[in-house]
Amino acid sequence: DYATVRERLTQLAALPLAERTEDRTVGMTMWLNLLAGQYDQVFAASSLTSRNHFEDAVLLYPHKHWLLALASERQGKPNLARTRWQEAEPLLRQRAAEAPGNTNRQFEHAITLARVGRGEEAQAIVAQIEPAWREDLTRGRPGLLAMFYASLGDAPRTVE
């Protein structure tokens, strides 16, 4: 409900600057502005942090470059969006390499690879993870599966 989104954005904007630069606040502000179609505000909020990843389990999109890429896509700027996805890829690759047993990080990297047109590489990563995930669809996994297949342009698999 967009009235609630707008109300929450007003509350976030009223916070002292020190609180507005915390990961949850920056990430939530970027996400809510994306939902509200206020793409310039997505970019403005991103400038409140130099971090590329938000350390907060609550956030659906924990990567700053993902939110910037999505805002660029919605603005009708596919080349800028692709650049944002390309900027995200080495960062997500590094995060995945730092925690090879963390399948969420592996999946996030696969989503980013799919977004930059490296679908085969992305599918190879997901093929190793997805069977076990399908047997244990805990919090967050259905969303990552949907994001991955949407990133590949595979609408039927997005809703499986």
PDB file of all heavy atoms in Angstrom, residues 8 20 24 35-36 40 42 55 62 64 68 72 76 78 84 100 107 115 120 126 132 144-145 149 151 153 156:
ATOM      1  N   ARG A   8       6.088   5.932   5.630  1.00  0.00           N
ATOM      2  CA  ARG A   8       7.360   5.406   6.147  1.00  0.00           C
ATOM      3  C   ARG A   8       8.535   6.213   5.618  1.00  0.00           C
ATOM      4  O   ARG A   8       9.492   6.487   6.349  1.00  0.00           O
ATOM      5  CB  ARG A   8       7.498   3.925   5.779  1.00  0.00           C
ATOM      6  CG  ARG A   8       8.709   3.275   6.385  1.00  0.00           C
ATOM      7  CD  ARG A   8       8.600   3.205   7.902  1.00  0.00           C
ATOM      8  NE  ARG A   8       9.791   2.535   8.425  1.00  0.00           N
ATOM      9  CZ  ARG A   8      10.485   2.952   9.447  1.00  0.00           C
ATOM     10  NH1 ARG A   8      10.116   4.004  10.130  1.00  0.00           N
ATOM     11  NH2 ARG A   8      11.555   2.302   9.840  1.00  0.00           N
ATOM     12  N   ARG A  20      20.063   7.955   9.646  1.00  0.00           N
ATOM     13  CA  ARG A  20      19.715   7.737   8.229  1.00  0.00           C
ATOM     14  C   ARG A  20      20.830   7.056   7.453  1.00  0.00           C
ATOM     15  O   ARG A  20      20.611   6.569   6.350  1.00  0.00           O
ATOM     16  CB  ARG A  20      19.367   9.063   7.548  1.00  0.00           C
ATOM     17  CG  ARG A  20      17.965   9.536   7.871  1.00  0.00           C
ATOM     18  CD  ARG A  20      17.585  10.751   7.069  1.00  0.00           C
ATOM     19  NE  ARG A  20      18.280  11.906   7.623  1.00  0.00           N
ATOM     20  CZ  ARG A  20      18.799  12.886   6.898  1.00  0.00           C
ATOM     21  NH1 ARG A  20      18.717  12.894   5.598  1.00  0.00           N
ATOM     22  NH2 ARG A  20      19.415  13.896   7.484  1.00  0.00           N
ATOM     23  N   ARG A  24      20.224  -0.527   7.578  1.00  0.00           N
ATOM     24  CA  ARG A  24      18.793  -0.811   7.425  1.00  0.00           C
ATOM     25  C   ARG A  24      18.049   0.409   6.893  1.00  0.00           C
ATOM     26  O   ARG A  24      17.194   0.292   6.021  1.00  0.00           O
ATOM     27  CB  ARG A  24      18.175  -1.272   8.742  1.00  0.00           C
ATOM     28  CG  ARG A  24      16.676  -1.565   8.582  1.00  0.00           C
ATOM     29  CD  ARG A  24      16.059  -2.169   9.808  1.00  0.00           C
ATOM     30  NE  ARG A  24      16.584  -3.513   9.982  1.00  0.00           N
ATOM     31  CZ  ARG A  24      16.286  -4.298  11.004  1.00  0.00           C
ATOM     32  NH1 ARG A  24      15.481  -3.883  11.948  1.00  0.00           N
ATOM     33  NH2 ARG A  24      16.797  -5.502  11.086  1.00  0.00           N
ATOM     34  N   LEU A  35       9.921   1.208  -4.867  1.00  0.00           N
ATOM     35  CA  LEU A  35       8.517   0.809  -4.949  1.00  0.00           C
ATOM     36  C   LEU A  35       7.600   1.981  -5.276  1.00  0.00           C
ATOM     37  O   LEU A  35       6.618   1.826  -6.006  1.00  0.00           O
ATOM     38  CB  LEU A  35       8.067   0.178  -3.628  1.00  0.00           C
ATOM     39  CG  LEU A  35       8.650  -1.168  -3.263  1.00  0.00           C
ATOM     40  CD1 LEU A  35       8.181  -1.589  -1.875  1.00  0.00           C
ATOM     41  CD2 LEU A  35       8.299  -2.221  -4.296  1.00  0.00           C
ATOM     42  N   ALA A  36       7.928   3.147  -4.730  1.00  0.00           N
ATOM     43  CA  ALA A  36       7.104   4.334  -4.931  1.00  0.00           C
ATOM     44  C   ALA A  36       7.362   5.014  -6.269  1.00  0.00           C
ATOM     45  O   ALA A  36       6.683   5.983  -6.608  1.00  0.00           O
ATOM     46  CB  ALA A  36       7.340   5.319  -3.783  1.00  0.00           C
ATOM     47  N   ASP A  40      14.912   8.998  -8.471  1.00  0.00           N
ATOM     48  CA  ASP A  40      15.970   9.942  -8.094  1.00  0.00           C
ATOM     49  C   ASP A  40      16.271   9.842  -6.599  1.00  0.00           C
ATOM     50  O   ASP A  40      17.419  10.026  -6.178  1.00  0.00           O
ATOM     51  CB  ASP A  40      15.577  11.374  -8.461  1.00  0.00           C
ATOM     52  CG  ASP A  40      15.584  11.604  -9.971  1.00  0.00           C
ATOM     53  OD1 ASP A  40      16.255  10.823 -10.689  1.00  0.00           O
ATOM     54  OD2 ASP A  40      14.913  12.547 -10.431  1.00  0.00           O
ATOM     55  N   VAL A  42      16.092   7.082  -4.900  1.00  0.00           N
ATOM     56  CA  VAL A  42      16.882   5.859  -4.722  1.00  0.00           C
ATOM     57  C   VAL A  42      18.367   6.225  -4.813  1.00  0.00           C
ATOM     58  O   VAL A  42      19.170   5.835  -3.972  1.00  0.00           O
ATOM     59  CB  VAL A  42      16.519   4.784  -5.773  1.00  0.00           C
ATOM     60  CG1 VAL A  42      17.451   3.577  -5.668  1.00  0.00           C
ATOM     61  CG2 VAL A  42      15.062   4.364  -5.640  1.00  0.00           C
ATOM     62  N   GLU A  55      24.452  -4.940   5.684  1.00  0.00           N
ATOM     63  CA  GLU A  55      24.492  -6.065   6.625  1.00  0.00           C
ATOM     64  C   GLU A  55      23.223  -6.055   7.457  1.00  0.00           C
ATOM     65  O   GLU A  55      23.199  -5.569   8.575  1.00  0.00           O
ATOM     66  CB  GLU A  55      25.727  -5.965   7.525  1.00  0.00           C
ATOM     67  CG  GLU A  55      27.038  -6.088   6.802  1.00  0.00           C
ATOM     68  CD  GLU A  55      27.275  -7.459   6.172  1.00  0.00           C
ATOM     69  OE1 GLU A  55      26.654  -8.449   6.605  1.00  0.00           O
ATOM     70  OE2 GLU A  55      28.082  -7.527   5.235  1.00  0.00           O
ATOM     71  N   PRO A  62      19.793  -6.692  -0.460  1.00  0.00           N
ATOM     72  CA  PRO A  62      20.858  -6.206   0.419  1.00  0.00           C
ATOM     73  C   PRO A  62      22.054  -5.571  -0.304  1.00  0.00           C
ATOM     74  O   PRO A  62      23.029  -5.220   0.335  1.00  0.00           O
ATOM     75  CB  PRO A  62      21.295  -7.478   1.147  1.00  0.00           C
ATOM     76  CG  PRO A  62      21.041  -8.574   0.159  1.00  0.00           C
ATOM     77  CD  PRO A  62      19.817  -8.142  -0.599  1.00  0.00           C
ATOM     78  N   LYS A  64      23.548  -2.557  -2.681  1.00  0.00           N
ATOM     79  CA  LYS A  64      23.287  -1.206  -3.174  1.00  0.00           C
ATOM     80  C   LYS A  64      23.224  -1.179  -4.702  1.00  0.00           C
ATOM     81  O   LYS A  64      22.317  -0.570  -5.278  1.00  0.00           O
ATOM     82  CB  LYS A  64      24.370  -0.254  -2.651  1.00  0.00           C
ATOM     83  CG  LYS A  64      24.148   1.184  -3.089  1.00  0.00           C
ATOM     84  CD  LYS A  64      25.010   2.162  -2.323  1.00  0.00           C
ATOM     85  CE  LYS A  64      26.433   2.165  -2.744  1.00  0.00           C
ATOM     86  NZ  LYS A  64      27.203   3.280  -2.159  1.00  0.00           N
ATOM     87  N   LEU A  68      20.280   0.208  -7.316  1.00  0.00           N
ATOM     88  CA  LEU A  68      20.593   1.227  -8.319  1.00  0.00           C
ATOM     89  C   LEU A  68      20.295   0.711  -9.727  1.00  0.00           C
ATOM     90  O   LEU A  68      19.757   1.438 -10.570  1.00  0.00           O
ATOM     91  CB  LEU A  68      22.053   1.661  -8.204  1.00  0.00           C
ATOM     92  CG  LEU A  68      22.425   2.384  -6.905  1.00  0.00           C
ATOM     93  CD1 LEU A  68      23.934   2.587  -6.814  1.00  0.00           C
ATOM     94  CD2 LEU A  68      21.680   3.700  -6.778  1.00  0.00           C
ATOM     95  N   SER A  72      17.499   2.173 -12.334  1.00  0.00           N
ATOM     96  CA  SER A  72      17.865   2.563 -13.708  1.00  0.00           C
ATOM     97  C   SER A  72      16.986   1.838 -14.730  1.00  0.00           C
ATOM     98  O   SER A  72      16.554   2.443 -15.713  1.00  0.00           O
ATOM     99  CB  SER A  72      19.340   2.250 -13.965  1.00  0.00           C
ATOM    100  OG  SER A  72      20.164   3.019 -13.112  1.00  0.00           O
ATOM    101  N   GLY A  76      13.956   3.427 -17.501  1.00  0.00           N
ATOM    102  CA  GLY A  76      14.109   3.224 -18.943  1.00  0.00           C
ATOM    103  C   GLY A  76      15.523   3.482 -19.419  1.00  0.00           C
ATOM    104  O   GLY A  76      15.731   3.912 -20.553  1.00  0.00           O
ATOM    105  N   PRO A  78      18.417   1.216 -19.887  1.00  0.00           N
ATOM    106  CA  PRO A  78      18.978  -0.136 -19.849  1.00  0.00           C
ATOM    107  C   PRO A  78      20.501  -0.184 -19.854  1.00  0.00           C
ATOM    108  O   PRO A  78      21.088  -1.077 -19.237  1.00  0.00           O
ATOM    109  CB  PRO A  78      18.398  -0.804 -21.096  1.00  0.00           C
ATOM    110  CG  PRO A  78      18.047   0.324 -22.010  1.00  0.00           C
ATOM    111  CD  PRO A  78      17.667   1.469 -21.111  1.00  0.00           C
ATOM    112  N   ARG A  84      25.390  -0.907 -13.888  1.00  0.00           N
ATOM    113  CA  ARG A  84      25.228  -1.137 -12.442  1.00  0.00           C
ATOM    114  C   ARG A  84      25.325  -2.632 -12.113  1.00  0.00           C
ATOM    115  O   ARG A  84      25.948  -3.008 -11.127  1.00  0.00           O
ATOM    116  CB  ARG A  84      23.885  -0.610 -11.955  1.00  0.00           C
ATOM    117  CG  ARG A  84      23.669   0.849 -12.175  1.00  0.00           C
ATOM    118  CD  ARG A  84      24.327   1.665 -11.124  1.00  0.00           C
ATOM    119  NE  ARG A  84      23.877   3.053 -11.253  1.00  0.00           N
ATOM    120  CZ  ARG A  84      24.509   4.066 -10.748  1.00  0.00           C
ATOM    121  NH1 ARG A  84      25.615   3.875 -10.075  1.00  0.00           N
ATOM    122  NH2 ARG A  84      24.058   5.277 -10.888  1.00  0.00           N
ATOM    123  N   PRO A 100      32.183 -19.833   0.807  1.00  0.00           N
ATOM    124  CA  PRO A 100      31.772 -20.819  -0.199  1.00  0.00           C
ATOM    125  C   PRO A 100      30.626 -21.728   0.241  1.00  0.00           C
ATOM    126  O   PRO A 100      29.900 -22.245  -0.602  1.00  0.00           O
ATOM    127  CB  PRO A 100      33.039 -21.627  -0.468  1.00  0.00           C
ATOM    128  CG  PRO A 100      33.977 -21.299   0.636  1.00  0.00           C
ATOM    129  CD  PRO A 100      33.566 -19.988   1.212  1.00  0.00           C
ATOM    130  N   PHE A 107      23.819 -17.868  -4.619  1.00  0.00           N
ATOM    131  CA  PHE A 107      22.613 -17.571  -5.402  1.00  0.00           C
ATOM    132  C   PHE A 107      22.576 -16.103  -5.802  1.00  0.00           C
ATOM    133  O   PHE A 107      22.188 -15.767  -6.930  1.00  0.00           O
ATOM    134  CB  PHE A 107      21.364 -17.939  -4.584  1.00  0.00           C
ATOM    135  CG  PHE A 107      20.392 -18.762  -5.351  1.00  0.00           C
ATOM    136  CD1 PHE A 107      20.487 -20.145  -5.361  1.00  0.00           C
ATOM    137  CD2 PHE A 107      19.385 -18.162  -6.078  1.00  0.00           C
ATOM    138  CE1 PHE A 107      19.593 -20.909  -6.082  1.00  0.00           C
ATOM    139  CE2 PHE A 107      18.481 -18.920  -6.801  1.00  0.00           C
ATOM    140  CZ  PHE A 107      18.576 -20.298  -6.802  1.00  0.00           C
ATOM    141  N   ARG A 115      21.819 -11.327 -14.774  1.00  0.00           N
ATOM    142  CA  ARG A 115      21.501  -9.952 -15.167  1.00  0.00           C
ATOM    143  C   ARG A 115      22.512  -9.372 -16.147  1.00  0.00           C
ATOM    144  O   ARG A 115      22.176  -8.465 -16.899  1.00  0.00           O
ATOM    145  CB  ARG A 115      21.414  -9.058 -13.934  1.00  0.00           C
ATOM    146  CG  ARG A 115      20.211  -9.313 -13.086  1.00  0.00           C
ATOM    147  CD  ARG A 115      18.962  -8.888 -13.819  1.00  0.00           C
ATOM    148  NE  ARG A 115      17.833  -8.849 -12.939  1.00  0.00           N
ATOM    149  CZ  ARG A 115      16.800  -8.042 -13.105  1.00  0.00           C
ATOM    150  NH1 ARG A 115      16.755  -7.208 -14.113  1.00  0.00           N
ATOM    151  NH2 ARG A 115      15.800  -8.085 -12.269  1.00  0.00           N
ATOM    152  N   GLU A 120      24.504 -19.066 -18.657  1.00  0.00           N
ATOM    153  CA  GLU A 120      25.006 -20.436 -18.505  1.00  0.00           C
ATOM    154  C   GLU A 120      25.829 -20.583 -17.228  1.00  0.00           C
ATOM    155  O   GLU A 120      25.696 -21.571 -16.497  1.00  0.00           O
ATOM    156  CB  GLU A 120      25.828 -20.846 -19.729  1.00  0.00           C
ATOM    157  CG  GLU A 120      24.982 -21.106 -20.954  1.00  0.00           C
ATOM    158  CD  GLU A 120      25.799 -21.564 -22.145  1.00  0.00           C
ATOM    159  OE1 GLU A 120      26.924 -22.065 -21.949  1.00  0.00           O
ATOM    160  OE2 GLU A 120      25.292 -21.426 -23.266  1.00  0.00           O
ATOM    161  N   VAL A 126      23.400 -22.385  -9.881  1.00  0.00           N
ATOM    162  CA  VAL A 126      22.076 -22.709  -9.331  1.00  0.00           C
ATOM    163  C   VAL A 126      21.802 -24.210  -9.389  1.00  0.00           C
ATOM    164  O   VAL A 126      21.190 -24.765  -8.471  1.00  0.00           O
ATOM    165  CB  VAL A 126      20.986 -21.892 -10.058  1.00  0.00           C
ATOM    166  CG1 VAL A 126      19.590 -22.387  -9.708  1.00  0.00           C
ATOM    167  CG2 VAL A 126      21.137 -20.413  -9.706  1.00  0.00           C
ATOM    168  N   ALA A 132      18.525 -29.068  -3.412  1.00  0.00           N
ATOM    169  CA  ALA A 132      18.436 -29.095  -1.943  1.00  0.00           C
ATOM    170  C   ALA A 132      17.498 -28.008  -1.437  1.00  0.00           C
ATOM    171  O   ALA A 132      16.732 -28.225  -0.489  1.00  0.00           O
ATOM    172  CB  ALA A 132      19.818 -28.949  -1.322  1.00  0.00           C
ATOM    173  N   LEU A 144      14.627 -15.669  -3.677  1.00  0.00           N
ATOM    174  CA  LEU A 144      15.855 -15.739  -4.471  1.00  0.00           C
ATOM    175  C   LEU A 144      15.654 -16.604  -5.715  1.00  0.00           C
ATOM    176  O   LEU A 144      16.157 -16.269  -6.799  1.00  0.00           O
ATOM    177  CB  LEU A 144      17.016 -16.263  -3.620  1.00  0.00           C
ATOM    178  CG  LEU A 144      17.572 -15.287  -2.586  1.00  0.00           C
ATOM    179  CD1 LEU A 144      18.567 -15.972  -1.662  1.00  0.00           C
ATOM    180  CD2 LEU A 144      18.211 -14.079  -3.263  1.00  0.00           C
ATOM    181  N   LEU A 145      14.919 -17.705  -5.580  1.00  0.00           N
ATOM    182  CA  LEU A 145      14.615 -18.533  -6.756  1.00  0.00           C
ATOM    183  C   LEU A 145      13.829 -17.722  -7.784  1.00  0.00           C
ATOM    184  O   LEU A 145      14.145 -17.748  -8.984  1.00  0.00           O
ATOM    185  CB  LEU A 145      13.818 -19.780  -6.342  1.00  0.00           C
ATOM    186  CG  LEU A 145      14.610 -20.886  -5.665  1.00  0.00           C
ATOM    187  CD1 LEU A 145      13.676 -21.837  -4.915  1.00  0.00           C
ATOM    188  CD2 LEU A 145      15.436 -21.649  -6.688  1.00  0.00           C
ATOM    189  N   TYR A 149      15.108 -16.740 -11.692  1.00  0.00           N
ATOM    190  CA  TYR A 149      14.425 -17.089 -12.939  1.00  0.00           C
ATOM    191  C   TYR A 149      13.873 -15.856 -13.644  1.00  0.00           C
ATOM    192  O   TYR A 149      13.856 -15.802 -14.883  1.00  0.00           O
ATOM    193  CB  TYR A 149      13.374 -18.167 -12.705  1.00  0.00           C
ATOM    194  CG  TYR A 149      14.049 -19.499 -12.472  1.00  0.00           C
ATOM    195  CD1 TYR A 149      14.065 -20.100 -11.229  1.00  0.00           C
ATOM    196  CD2 TYR A 149      14.746 -20.119 -13.502  1.00  0.00           C
ATOM    197  CE1 TYR A 149      14.738 -21.300 -11.011  1.00  0.00           C
ATOM    198  CE2 TYR A 149      15.425 -21.313 -13.302  1.00  0.00           C
ATOM    199  CZ  TYR A 149      15.411 -21.900 -12.054  1.00  0.00           C
ATOM    200  OH  TYR A 149      16.084 -23.072 -11.854  1.00  0.00           O
ATOM    201  N   SER A 151      15.416 -13.019 -13.598  1.00  0.00           N
ATOM    202  CA  SER A 151      16.627 -12.432 -14.189  1.00  0.00           C
ATOM    203  C   SER A 151      17.014 -13.137 -15.482  1.00  0.00           C
ATOM    204  O   SER A 151      17.587 -12.525 -16.382  1.00  0.00           O
ATOM    205  CB  SER A 151      17.788 -12.485 -13.190  1.00  0.00           C
ATOM    206  OG  SER A 151      17.502 -11.680 -12.073  1.00  0.00           O
ATOM    207  N   GLY A 153      14.767 -14.339 -17.421  1.00  0.00           N
ATOM    208  CA  GLY A 153      13.647 -14.131 -18.337  1.00  0.00           C
ATOM    209  C   GLY A 153      12.784 -15.366 -18.471  1.00  0.00           C
ATOM    210  O   GLY A 153      12.060 -15.527 -19.448  1.00  0.00           O
ATOM    211  N   PRO A 156       7.806 -18.777 -16.494  1.00  0.00           N
ATOM    212  CA  PRO A 156       7.158 -19.965 -15.889  1.00  0.00           C
ATOM    213  C   PRO A 156       7.902 -20.495 -14.663  1.00  0.00           C
ATOM    214  O   PRO A 156       7.283 -20.871 -13.674  1.00  0.00           O
ATOM    215  CB  PRO A 156       7.158 -20.994 -17.025  1.00  0.00           C
ATOM    216  CG  PRO A 156       7.210 -20.186 -18.269  1.00  0.00           C
ATOM    217  CD  PRO A 156       8.047 -18.972 -17.922  1.00  0.00           C
TER     218      PRO A 156
END
